[in-house]
Coordinates of all heavy atoms in Angstrom, one line a residue:
M1 N -13.1 -76.9 120.9 CA -13.0 -77.7 119.7 C -11.5 -78.3 119.8 O -10.6 -77.6 119.9 CB -13.2 -76.9 118.5 CG -13.0 -77.8 117.2 SD -13.2 -76.9 115.6 CE -14.8 -76.1 115.8
R2 N -11.5 -79.7 119.7 CA -10.1 -80.3 119.7 C -9.4 -79.9 118.4 O -10.1 -79.8 117.3 CB -10.3 -81.8 119.8 CG -11.0 -82.2 121.0 CD -10.2 -82.9 122.1 NE -9.1 -83.7 121.8 CZ -9.1 -85.0 121.9 NH1 -10.2 -85.7 122.5 NH2 -8.0 -85.7 121.6
R3 N -8.1 -79.9 118.4 CA -7.4 -79.6 117.2 C -6.3 -80.7 116.9 O -5.7 -81.2 117.9 CB -6.6 -78.3 117.4 CG -7.5 -77.1 117.6 CD -6.8 -75.9 118.2 NE -5.6 -75.6 117.5 CZ -5.4 -74.5 116.8 NH1 -6.3 -73.7 116.6 NH2 -4.2 -74.2 116.3
Y4 N -6.1 -81.0 115.6 CA -5.1 -82.0 115.3 C -4.3 -81.4 114.1 O -4.9 -80.9 113.1 CB -5.8 -83.3 114.8 CG -6.3 -84.1 115.9 CD1 -7.7 -83.9 116.3 CD2 -5.6 -85.1 116.6 CE1 -8.3 -84.7 117.3 CE2 -6.2 -85.9 117.6 CZ -7.5 -85.6 117.9 OH -8.1 -86.4 119.0
P5 N -3.0 -81.5 114.2 CA -2.2 -81.1 113.1 C -2.4 -81.9 111.9 O -2.5 -83.2 112.0 CB -0.7 -81.2 113.6 CG -0.8 -81.3 115.1 CD -2.2 -81.9 115.4
S6 N -2.4 -81.4 110.7 CA -2.6 -82.2 109.5 C -1.5 -83.2 109.3 O -1.7 -84.3 108.8 CB -2.6 -81.3 108.3 OG -1.4 -80.5 108.1
S7 N -0.3 -82.9 109.8 CA 0.9 -83.8 109.6 C 0.6 -85.1 110.5 O 1.4 -86.0 110.2 CB 2.1 -83.1 110.1 OG 2.0 -82.6 111.4
E8 N -0.2 -85.0 111.4 CA -0.5 -86.2 112.3 C -1.7 -87.0 111.9 O -2.1 -87.9 112.6 CB -0.5 -85.8 113.7 CG 0.8 -85.2 114.2 CD 0.7 -84.9 115.7 OE1 -0.3 -85.2 116.4 OE2 1.6 -84.1 116.2
L9 N -2.5 -86.6 110.9 CA -3.8 -87.2 110.5 C -3.6 -88.7 110.2 O -4.3 -89.5 110.7 CB -4.4 -86.5 109.3 CG -5.2 -85.3 109.6 CD1 -5.8 -84.7 108.4 CD2 -6.3 -85.6 110.7
K10 N -2.7 -89.0 109.4 CA -2.4 -90.4 109.0 C -2.1 -91.3 110.3 O -2.7 -92.4 110.4 CB -1.3 -90.6 108.1 CG -1.6 -90.2 106.7 CD -0.5 -90.5 105.7 CE -0.8 -90.1 104.3 NZ 0.3 -90.5 103.4
Q11 N -1.3 -90.8 111.2 CA -1.0 -91.6 112.3 C -2.1 -91.7 113.4 O -2.2 -92.7 114.1 CB 0.2 -91.0 113.1 CG 1.5 -91.0 112.3 CD 1.7 -89.7 111.5 OE1 0.7 -89.0 111.2 NE2 2.9 -89.4 111.1
H12 N -3.0 -90.8 113.3 CA -4.1 -90.7 114.4 C -5.4 -90.7 113.8 O -6.4 -90.2 114.5 CB -3.8 -89.5 115.3 CG -2.5 -89.5 116.0 ND1 -2.2 -90.3 117.1 CD2 -1.4 -88.8 115.7 CE1 -1.0 -90.1 117.5 NE2 -0.5 -89.2 116.6
L13 N -5.6 -91.1 112.6 CA -6.9 -91.1 111.9 C -8.1 -91.7 112.7 O -9.1 -91.1 112.9 CB -6.9 -91.7 110.5 CG -8.1 -91.5 109.7 CD1 -8.5 -90.1 109.5 CD2 -8.0 -92.2 108.4
G14 N -7.9 -92.8 113.3 CA -8.9 -93.5 114.2 C -9.3 -92.6 115.3 O -10.5 -92.4 115.6
D15 N -8.3 -91.9 116.0 CA -8.6 -91.1 117.1 C -9.4 -89.9 116.7 O -10.3 -89.4 117.3 CB -7.3 -90.6 117.8 CG -6.6 -91.8 118.5 OD1 -7.3 -92.8 118.8 OD2 -5.4 -91.7 118.6
V16 N -8.9 -89.3 115.5 CA -9.6 -88.1 115.0 C -11.0 -88.4 114.6 O -12.0 -87.6 115.0 CB -8.8 -87.5 113.8 CG1 -9.6 -86.4 113.2 CG2 -7.4 -87.0 114.2
L17 N -11.2 -89.5 114.0 CA -12.6 -89.8 113.6 C -13.5 -90.1 114.8 O -14.7 -89.7 114.8 CB -12.6 -91.0 112.7 CG -12.0 -90.8 111.3 CD1 -12.0 -92.1 110.5 CD2 -12.8 -89.7 110.5
A18 N -12.9 -90.7 115.8 CA -13.7 -91.0 117.0 C -14.2 -89.7 117.7 O -15.3 -89.6 118.1 CB -12.9 -91.8 118.0
V19 N -13.2 -88.7 117.7 CA -13.7 -87.4 118.3 C -14.6 -86.7 117.5 O -15.6 -86.2 117.9 CB -12.4 -86.5 118.6 CG1 -12.8 -85.1 119.0 CG2 -11.4 -87.2 119.6
A20 N -14.4 -86.8 116.1 CA -15.3 -86.0 115.2 C -16.7 -86.7 115.2 O -17.6 -85.9 114.9 CB -14.7 -86.1 113.8
S21 N -16.8 -87.9 115.7 CA -18.2 -88.5 115.7 C -19.0 -87.8 116.9 O -20.2 -88.0 116.9 CB -18.1 -90.0 115.8 OG -17.6 -90.4 117.1
R22 N -18.2 -87.2 117.8 CA -18.8 -86.6 119.0 C -18.9 -85.1 118.9 O -19.9 -84.5 119.5 CB -18.2 -87.0 120.3 CG -18.2 -88.5 120.6 CD -17.6 -88.8 121.9 NE -16.2 -88.4 122.0 CZ -15.1 -89.1 121.7 NH1 -15.2 -90.3 121.1 NH2 -13.9 -88.6 121.9
E23 N -17.9 -84.5 118.3 CA -17.9 -83.0 118.2 C -17.0 -82.6 117.1 O -16.1 -83.4 116.6 CB -17.2 -82.5 119.5 CG -15.8 -82.9 119.7 CD -15.2 -82.4 121.0 OE1 -14.7 -81.3 121.0 OE2 -15.1 -83.2 122.0
P24 N -17.2 -81.4 116.5 CA -16.3 -81.0 115.4 C -14.8 -80.9 115.8 O -14.5 -80.7 117.0 CB -16.8 -79.5 115.1 CG -18.2 -79.6 115.6 CD -18.2 -80.5 116.9
V25 N -13.9 -81.2 114.9 CA -12.5 -81.3 115.1 C -11.9 -80.3 114.1 O -12.2 -80.3 112.9 CB -11.9 -82.7 114.8 CG1 -10.5 -82.7 114.9 CG2 -12.5 -83.6 115.9
A26 N -11.0 -79.5 114.6 CA -10.2 -78.6 113.8 C -8.9 -79.3 113.3 O -8.2 -79.9 114.1 CB -9.8 -77.3 114.5
I27 N -8.7 -79.2 112.0 CA -7.4 -79.7 111.4 C -6.6 -78.5 111.1 O -7.0 -77.6 110.4 CB -7.7 -80.5 110.1 CG1 -8.8 -81.5 110.3 CG2 -6.4 -81.0 109.5 CD1 -8.5 -82.6 111.3
T28 N -5.4 -78.5 111.7 CA -4.5 -77.3 111.6 C -3.4 -77.6 110.6 O -3.0 -78.7 110.4 CB -3.9 -77.0 113.0 OG1 -3.1 -78.0 113.4 CG2 -5.1 -76.7 114.0
K29 N -2.9 -76.5 110.1 CA -1.7 -76.5 109.3 C -0.9 -75.3 109.7 O -1.3 -74.1 109.7 CB -2.1 -76.4 107.8 CG -0.9 -76.5 106.9 CD -1.3 -76.5 105.5 CE -0.1 -76.6 104.5 NZ -0.5 -76.5 103.1
H30 N 0.3 -75.5 110.1 CA 1.3 -74.5 110.6 C 0.7 -73.7 111.8 O 0.7 -72.5 111.9 CB 1.7 -73.5 109.5 CG 2.3 -74.1 108.3 ND1 3.5 -74.9 108.4 CD2 1.9 -74.3 107.0 CE1 3.8 -75.3 107.1 NE2 2.8 -75.0 106.3
G31 N 0.0 -74.5 112.6 CA -0.6 -73.9 113.8 C -1.9 -73.2 113.7 O -2.5 -72.7 114.6
K32 N -2.5 -73.1 112.4 CA -3.7 -72.4 112.1 C -4.8 -73.3 111.7 O -4.5 -74.3 111.0 CB -3.5 -71.3 111.0 CG -2.6 -70.3 111.4 CD -2.4 -69.3 110.2 CE -1.4 -68.2 110.5 NZ -1.2 -67.3 109.4
S33 N -6.0 -73.2 112.3 CA -7.1 -74.0 111.8 C -7.4 -73.8 110.4 O -7.6 -72.6 110.0 CB -8.3 -73.7 112.7 OG -8.1 -74.1 114.1
R34 N -7.5 -74.9 109.6 CA -7.7 -74.8 108.2 C -9.0 -75.5 107.8 O -9.6 -75.1 106.8 CB -6.5 -75.4 107.4 CG -5.2 -74.7 107.6 CD -5.2 -73.3 107.0 NE -3.9 -72.8 107.2 CZ -3.6 -71.5 106.8 NH1 -4.6 -70.8 106.3 NH2 -2.4 -71.1 107.0
F35 N -9.3 -76.6 108.5 CA -10.5 -77.4 108.1 C -11.2 -77.8 109.4 O -10.6 -77.8 110.4 CB -10.0 -78.7 107.4 CG -9.2 -78.4 106.1 CD1 -7.9 -78.4 106.2 CD2 -9.8 -78.1 104.9 CE1 -7.1 -78.2 105.1 CE2 -9.1 -77.9 103.8 CZ -7.8 -77.9 103.9
V36 N -12.4 -78.2 109.2 CA -13.2 -78.7 110.3 C -13.8 -80.0 109.8 O -14.4 -80.1 108.7 CB -14.3 -77.8 110.7 CG1 -15.3 -78.4 111.8 CG2 -13.8 -76.5 111.2
L37 N -13.7 -81.1 110.7 CA -14.2 -82.4 110.4 C -15.3 -82.6 111.5 O -15.1 -82.4 112.7 CB -13.1 -83.4 110.5 CG -13.5 -84.9 110.3 CD1 -14.0 -85.1 108.9 CD2 -12.3 -85.8 110.6
M38 N -16.5 -83.0 111.0 CA -17.6 -83.3 111.9 C -18.5 -84.4 111.3 O -18.4 -84.7 110.1 CB -18.4 -82.0 112.2 CG -19.2 -81.5 110.9 SD -20.1 -80.0 111.2 CE -18.8 -78.7 111.2
S39 N -19.3 -84.9 112.2 CA -20.2 -86.0 111.7 C -21.3 -85.4 110.8 O -21.6 -84.2 110.8 CB -20.9 -86.7 112.9 OG -21.8 -85.8 113.5
L40 N -21.8 -86.2 110.0 CA -22.8 -85.8 109.1 C -24.0 -85.2 109.9 O -24.7 -84.2 109.5 CB -23.4 -86.9 108.2 CG -24.5 -86.6 107.2 CD1 -24.0 -85.5 106.2 CD2 -24.8 -87.9 106.4
E41 N -24.4 -85.8 111.0 CA -25.5 -85.4 111.8 C -25.3 -84.0 112.3 O -26.2 -83.1 112.3 CB -25.7 -86.4 112.9 CG -26.3 -87.8 112.4 CD -25.2 -88.7 111.9 OE1 -24.0 -88.4 112.1 OE2 -25.6 -89.7 111.3
T42 N -24.0 -83.8 112.8 CA -23.7 -82.4 113.3 C -23.8 -81.4 112.3 O -24.3 -80.3 112.4 CB -22.3 -82.5 114.0 OG1 -22.3 -83.4 115.1 CG2 -21.9 -81.1 114.5
Y43 N -23.3 -81.7 111.1 CA -23.3 -80.8 110.0 C -24.7 -80.5 109.6 O -25.1 -79.3 109.5 CB -22.6 -81.4 108.7 CG -22.7 -80.6 107.5 CD1 -21.8 -79.5 107.3 CD2 -23.7 -80.9 106.6 CE1 -21.8 -78.8 106.2 CE2 -23.7 -80.1 105.4 CZ -22.8 -79.0 105.2 OH -22.9 -78.3 104.1
E44 N -25.6 -81.5 109.5 CA -27.0 -81.2 109.1 C -27.7 -80.4 110.2 O -28.6 -79.6 109.8 CB -27.7 -82.5 108.8 CG -27.1 -83.1 107.5 CD -27.7 -84.5 107.1 OE1 -28.2 -85.1 108.1 OE2 -27.6 -84.9 106.0
E45 N -27.4 -80.6 111.4 CA -28.0 -79.8 112.4 C -27.5 -78.4 112.4 O -28.4 -77.5 112.6 CB -27.6 -80.4 113.8 CG -28.3 -81.7 114.2 CD -27.7 -82.3 115.5 OE1 -26.9 -81.6 116.2 OE2 -28.1 -83.4 115.8
R46 N -26.3 -78.1 112.2 CA -25.8 -76.8 112.1 C -26.1 -76.0 110.9 O -26.2 -74.8 110.8 CB -24.3 -76.8 112.4 CG -23.9 -77.2 113.7 CD -22.4 -77.2 113.9 NE -22.0 -77.5 115.2 CZ -21.0 -77.0 115.9 NH1 -20.3 -76.1 115.4 NH2 -20.8 -77.4 117.1
F47 N -26.3 -76.7 109.8 CA -26.5 -76.1 108.5 C -27.7 -76.7 107.8 O -27.5 -77.3 106.7 CB -25.3 -76.2 107.6 CG -24.0 -75.6 108.3 CD1 -23.1 -76.5 108.8 CD2 -23.7 -74.3 108.3 CE1 -21.9 -76.1 109.4 CE2 -22.6 -73.8 109.0 CZ -21.7 -74.7 109.5
P48 N -28.9 -76.7 108.3 CA -30.0 -77.4 107.7 C -30.4 -76.8 106.3 O -31.0 -77.6 105.6 CB -31.1 -77.1 108.8 CG -30.7 -75.9 109.5 CD -29.2 -75.9 109.5
E49 N -30.2 -75.6 106.0 CA -30.5 -75.0 104.8 C -29.4 -75.0 103.7 O -29.6 -74.3 102.7 CB -31.2 -73.7 104.9 CG -32.4 -73.7 105.9 CD -33.6 -74.5 105.3 OE1 -33.7 -74.5 104.1 OE2 -34.1 -75.2 106.2
D50 N -28.3 -75.5 104.1 CA -27.1 -75.5 103.1 C -27.4 -76.2 101.9 O -27.8 -77.4 101.9 CB -25.9 -76.1 103.8 CG -24.7 -75.8 103.1 OD1 -24.7 -75.5 101.9 OD2 -23.6 -75.8 103.7
P51 N -27.3 -75.5 100.7 CA -27.7 -76.2 99.4 C -26.6 -77.2 99.0 O -26.9 -78.0 98.1 CB -27.8 -74.9 98.5 CG -26.9 -73.9 99.0 CD -27.0 -74.1 100.5
R52 N -25.5 -77.1 99.6 CA -24.4 -78.1 99.2 C -24.8 -79.5 99.7 O -25.5 -79.6 100.7 CB -23.1 -77.7 99.8 CG -22.5 -76.4 99.2 CD -21.3 -76.0 99.9 NE -21.7 -75.4 101.2 CZ -20.9 -74.9 102.1 NH1 -19.6 -74.8 101.7 NH2 -21.3 -74.5 103.3
R53 N -24.3 -80.4 99.0 CA -24.7 -81.8 99.4 C -23.6 -82.5 100.2 O -22.5 -82.3 99.9 CB -24.9 -82.6 98.1 CG -25.2 -84.1 98.2 CD -26.6 -84.3 98.8 NE -26.6 -85.6 99.3 CZ -27.4 -86.6 98.7 NH1 -28.0 -86.4 97.7 NH2 -27.3 -87.8 99.3
S54 N -23.9 -83.2 101.2 CA -23.0 -84.0 102.0 C -23.3 -85.5 101.9 O -24.5 -85.8 101.6 CB -22.9 -83.6 103.5 OG -24.2 -83.7 104.0
Y55 N -22.3 -86.3 101.9 CA -22.5 -87.8 101.8 C -21.9 -88.6 102.9 O -20.9 -88.2 103.5 CB -21.8 -88.3 100.5 CG -22.3 -87.6 99.2 CD1 -21.7 -86.5 98.7 CD2 -23.4 -88.1 98.6 CE1 -22.1 -85.9 97.5 CE2 -23.9 -87.5 97.4 CZ -23.2 -86.5 96.9 OH -23.6 -85.8 95.7
R56 N -22.5 -89.7 103.2 CA -21.8 -90.6 104.1 C -20.8 -91.2 103.2 O -20.8 -91.3 102.0 CB -22.8 -91.7 104.6 CG -23.9 -91.2 105.4 CD -24.7 -92.3 105.9 NE -25.8 -91.8 106.8 CZ -25.8 -91.5 108.0 NH1 -24.6 -91.6 108.7 NH2 -26.8 -91.0 108.7
I57 N -19.7 -91.8 103.9 CA -18.5 -92.2 103.1 C -18.9 -93.4 102.1 O -18.5 -93.4 101.0 CB -17.3 -92.6 104.1 CG1 -16.1 -92.8 103.3 CG2 -17.7 -93.8 104.9 CD1 -15.4 -91.6 102.7
E58 N -19.8 -94.2 102.6 CA -20.2 -95.3 101.8 C -21.1 -94.9 100.6 O -21.3 -95.7 99.6 CB -20.9 -96.4 102.6 CG -22.1 -96.0 103.3 CD -21.9 -95.4 104.7 OE1 -20.8 -95.2 105.1 OE2 -23.0 -95.2 105.4
D59 N -21.7 -93.7 100.6 CA -22.6 -93.2 99.6 C -21.8 -92.2 98.7 O -22.5 -91.7 97.8 CB -23.8 -92.6 100.2 CG -24.6 -93.6 101.0 OD1 -24.6 -94.8 100.6 OD2 -25.2 -93.1 102.0
T60 N -20.6 -91.8 99.0 CA -19.9 -90.8 98.2 C -19.7 -91.2 96.8 O -19.1 -92.3 96.5 CB -18.6 -90.4 98.9 OG1 -18.9 -90.1 100.3 CG2 -17.9 -89.3 98.2
P61 N -20.0 -90.4 95.8 CA -19.8 -90.7 94.4 C -18.2 -90.9 94.2 O -17.4 -90.2 94.8 CB -20.2 -89.5 93.7 CG -21.3 -88.9 94.6 CD -20.7 -89.1 96.0
D62 N -17.9 -91.7 93.3 CA -16.5 -92.0 93.0 C -15.7 -90.8 92.5 O -14.6 -90.6 93.0 CB -16.4 -93.1 91.8 CG -16.8 -94.5 92.3 OD1 -16.9 -94.7 93.5 OD2 -17.2 -95.3 91.4
D63 N -16.3 -89.8 91.8 CA -15.6 -88.7 91.4 C -15.3 -87.7 92.6 O -14.2 -87.1 92.6 CB -16.3 -87.9 90.3 CG -17.7 -87.4 90.7 OD1 -18.4 -88.1 91.4 OD2 -18.1 -86.3 90.2
H64 N -16.2 -87.8 93.6 CA -16.0 -87.0 94.8 C -14.8 -87.6 95.6 O -13.9 -86.8 96.1 CB -17.2 -86.9 95.7 CG -18.3 -86.0 95.1 ND1 -18.9 -86.1 93.9 CD2 -18.8 -84.9 95.7 CE1 -19.7 -85.2 93.7 NE2 -19.7 -84.4 94.8
L65 N -14.8 -88.9 95.7 CA -13.7 -89.6 96.4 C -12.4 -89.3 95.7 O -11.4 -89.1 96.4 CB -14.0 -91.1 96.5 CG -15.0 -91.5 97.5 CD1 -15.4 -93.0 97.3 CD2 -14.7 -91.2 98.9
A66 N -12.4 -89.4 94.4 CA -11.1 -89.2 93.7 C -10.6 -87.7 94.0 O -9.4 -87.5 94.2 CB -11.3 -89.3 92.2
M67 N -11.5 -86.7 93.9 CA -11.1 -85.3 94.2 C -10.5 -85.2 95.6 O -9.6 -84.5 95.9 CB -12.2 -84.4 94.1 CG -12.6 -84.2 92.7 SD -13.8 -82.8 92.4 CE -15.2 -83.4 93.3
F68 N -11.2 -85.9 96.6 CA -10.8 -85.9 98.0 C -9.4 -86.5 98.2 O -8.6 -85.9 98.9 CB -11.9 -86.6 98.9 CG -11.6 -86.4 100.3 CD1 -11.6 -85.2 101.0 CD2 -11.2 -87.6 101.1 CE1 -11.4 -85.1 102.3 CE2 -11.0 -87.5 102.4 CZ -11.1 -86.3 103.1
E69 N -9.2 -87.6 97.6 CA -7.9 -88.3 97.7 C -6.8 -87.5 97.1 O -5.7 -87.4 97.7 CB -8.0 -89.7 97.1 CG -8.9 -90.7 97.8 CD -9.2 -92.0 97.1 OE1 -8.9 -92.1 95.9 OE2 -9.7 -92.9 97.7
K70 N -7.1 -86.9 96.0 CA -6.1 -86.0 95.3 C -5.7 -84.8 96.2 O -4.5 -84.6 96.4 CB -6.6 -85.5 94.0 CG -5.7 -84.6 93.3 CD -6.2 -84.0 92.0 CE -5.2 -83.1 91.4 NZ -5.8 -82.2 90.5
A71 N -6.7 -84.2 96.8 CA -6.5 -83.1 97.7 C -5.7 -83.5 98.9 O -4.8 -82.8 99.4 CB -7.8 -82.4 98.1
L72 N -6.0 -84.7 99.5 CA -5.2 -85.2 100.6 C -3.8 -85.5 100.3 O -2.9 -85.1 101.0 CB -5.9 -86.5 101.2 CG -7.1 -86.3 102.0 CD1 -7.7 -87.7 102.4 CD2 -6.8 -85.5 103.3
K73 N -3.5 -86.0 99.1 CA -2.1 -86.3 98.7 C -1.4 -85.0 98.5 O -0.2 -84.8 98.9 CB -2.1 -87.0 97.4 CG -2.5 -88.5 97.6 CD -2.4 -89.2 96.2 CE -2.9 -90.7 96.4 NZ -3.1 -91.4 95.1
E74 N -2.0 -83.9 97.9 CA -1.4 -82.7 97.7 C -1.1 -82.0 99.1 O -0.1 -81.5 99.3 CB -2.3 -81.7 96.9 CG -2.3 -82.2 95.5 CD -3.4 -81.4 94.7 OE1 -4.0 -80.5 95.2 OE2 -3.5 -81.7 93.4
F75 N -2.1 -82.1 100.0 CA -2.0 -81.6 101.3 C -0.9 -82.2 102.1 O 0.0 -81.6 102.7 CB -3.3 -81.7 102.1 CG -3.4 -80.9 103.3 CD1 -3.5 -79.5 103.4 CD2 -3.4 -81.6 104.6 CE1 -3.6 -78.8 104.6 CE2 -3.5 -80.9 105.8 CZ -3.6 -79.5 105.7
D76 N -0.8 -83.6 102.0 CA 0.2 -84.3 102.7 C 1.6 -84.0 102.2 O 2.6 -83.8 102.9 CB 0.0 -85.9 102.5 CG 0.9 -86.7 103.4 OD1 1.1 -86.3 104.5 OD2 1.4 -87.7 102.8
G77 N 1.7 -83.8 100.8 CA 3.0 -83.4 100.2 C 3.4 -82.0 100.7 O 4.6 -81.8 100.9
E78 N 2.5 -81.1 100.9 CA 2.9 -79.8 101.5 C 3.3 -79.9 102.9 O 4.2 -79.2 103.3 CB 1.6 -78.8 101.4 CG 1.3 -78.4 100.0 CD 0.1 -77.5 100.0 OE1 -0.3 -76.9 101.0 OE2 -0.5 -77.4 98.9
A79 N 2.7 -80.8 103.6 CA 3.1 -80.9 105.0 C 4.4 -81.6 105.2 O 5.2 -81.1 106.0 CB 2.1 -81.8 105.8
E80 N 4.8 -82.5 104.2 CA 6.1 -83.0 104.3 C 7.2 -82.1 104.0 O 8.3 -82.1 104.6 CB 6.2 -84.3 103.4 CG 5.4 -85.5 103.8 CD 5.4 -86.6 102.9 OE1 6.1 -86.5 101.9 OE2 4.7 -87.6 103.2
R81 N 6.9 -81.1 103.1 CA 7.9 -80.1 102.6 C 7.9 -79.0 103.7 O 9.0 -78.4 103.8 CB 7.4 -79.5 101.3 CG 7.6 -80.4 100.1 CD 7.4 -79.7 98.8 NE 6.1 -79.2 98.6 CZ 5.1 -79.9 98.1 NH1 5.3 -81.2 97.7 NH2 3.9 -79.4 97.9
G82 N 6.9 -79.0 104.5 CA 6.8 -78.1 105.7 C 7.1 -76.7 105.6 O 7.3 -75.9 106.2

């Protein structure tokens, strides 16, 4: 699994998304894997019975996007404080 530091996500988002479209990608913080980013198709193949709901970005409800953006800002702030 490829790994990308969270502090580099903004600079390399296109690269990260390109890799995640082919295989899961680990997002690390302080050298430890914290999150996994993968395509919706991969997720649904690996977790067919998962009761949680996943969305394509264009179908994501506004309240979910707002929560995600807030979490990214908080995460980015933590990364900058290091």
Side-chain angles (χ1 to χ4, degrees):
M1 182 181 306
R2 302 255 322 251
R3 298 164 48 109
Y4 288 90
S6 59
S7 59
E8 295 181 14
L9 276 180
K10 283 186 179 181
Q11 298 91 336
H12 301 285
L13 185 58
D15 295 335
V16 173
L17 293 176
V19 173
S21 71
R22 296 185 305 273
E23 64 182 278
V25 172
I27 306 300
T28 64
K29 182 175 179 183
H30 303 298
K32 296 180 183 178
S33 295
R34 300 289 185 184
F35 302 95
V36 175
L37 180 64
M38 66 181 78
S39 70
L40 179 60
E41 291 80 11
T42 300
Y43 175 83
E44 289 175 341
E45 286 173 10
R46 289 180 180 218
F47 306 102
E49 300 299 323
D50 193 334
R52 294 172 289 182
R53 177 71 200 250
S54 58
Y55 299 95
R56 294 184 184 279
I57 192 70
E58 61 269 12
D59 300 328
T60 304
D62 291 339
D63 60 327
H64 286 60
L65 286 174
M67 287 188 301
F68 185 68
E69 289 172 349
K70 180 182 177 203
L72 282 176
K73 286 180 185 175
E74 290 172 1
F75 190 72
D76 189 42
E78 289 179 18
E80 287 178 3
R81 290 189 293 274

